[in-house]
Amino acid sequence: MHCLLFRHGIAVSPHDWEGSELSRPLTKEGIIKTQKCAEGLRHVDLSPTHILCSPLTRTQETAKIAKEILGCKAKIQLCPELVFDQSPLLLFPMLNQLPPSATVMVVGHEPHLGQAAGLMISGQECPGLSLKKAGAVLVSFEGEIRPGRGRLEWWLPPAQLRLLGRGE
């Protein structure tokens, strides 16, 4: 299995947002930068078969952008387990329900995604690991998906993804 962890793009600041935290959207800049990062993902030749997404507005917007740019036919599955205040350990049973040949895009938040990546790769949370907004990590698994069994394929910050998207 290939598991692509993709953090949502730049969202409206909580100080500038009067609505619920759950409905805080991407900014115009966030949309544009997320589109460019998704173009970069297209150049690493990924074709997600499944999309798991936090139900918050900014992650749904990010997942829709990536799905469109990647030409992905998979349905976006909203997963409350991916909200930033949930344990990253909840991701493992979800991944184990999918086919071993799956390429799964997981769209979520920090610190959740960084913690999940640390668990996948080392078997424990690694406090220094975090994804920048619209950054991505690819972890592969052979056999059962459990902490410490993942292999880091790459870890790309958004600036590198945008460069890839421009073909550089």
Side-chain angles (χ1 to χ4, degrees):
M1 174 180 289
H2 294 289
C3 184
L4 171 67
L5 304 176
F6 190 39
R7 185 177 178 194
H8 67 78
I10 300 167
V12 173
S13 165
H15 303 295
D16 297 332
W17 183 248
E18 295 181 13
S20 161
E21 174 64 16
L22 303 176
S23 63
R24 195 161 51 91
L26 298 178
T27 62
K28 288 179 185 177
E29 176 189 17
I31 291 169
I32 291 166
K33 285 187 171 183
T34 300
Q35 289 169 333
K36 290 178 180 179
C37 289
E39 287 287 345
L41 289 175
R42 194 168 56 147
H43 285 276
V44 295
D45 207 20
L46 284 175
S47 184
T49 57
H50 299 79
I51 302 172
L52 306 179
C53 180
S54 159
L56 277 62
T57 299
R58 57 193 177 270
T59 49
Q60 290 185 58
E61 290 173 335
T62 299
K64 287 175 187 173
I65 290 167
K67 176 182 167 136
E68 179 181 323
I69 289 174
L70 294 173
C72 180
K73 294 182 184 353
K75 182 180 173 187
I76 297 171
Q77 181 181 341
L78 301 181
C79 306
E81 299 90 341
L82 297 177
V83 175
F84 52 82
D85 61 356
Q86 297 296 305
S87 168
L89 289 169
L90 296 174
L91 179 57
F92 290 89
M94 294 166 48
L95 294 175
N96 275 307
Q97 292 177 7
L98 301 174
S101 61
T103 298
V104 185
M105 180 167 60
V106 178
V107 183
H109 313 269
E110 275 301 315
H112 190 269
L113 291 179
Q115 292 169 346
L119 285 166
M120 289 175 171
I121 299 162
S122 71
Q124 57 191 346
E125 290 183 21
C126 302
L129 296 181
S130 65
L131 284 85
K132 291 189 172 206
K133 291 181 175 127
V137 175
L138 183 66
V139 178
S140 63
F141 291 91
E142 296 284 332
E144 186 181 4
I145 290 90
R146 59 182 190 174
R149 297 289 305 266
R151 184 179 69 230
L152 177 64
E153 299 292 338
W154 48 255
W155 192 298
L156 294 172
Q160 288 180 318
L161 285 169
R162 290 191 301 269
L163 284 172
L164 284 171
R166 293 197 318 233
E168 295 180 15

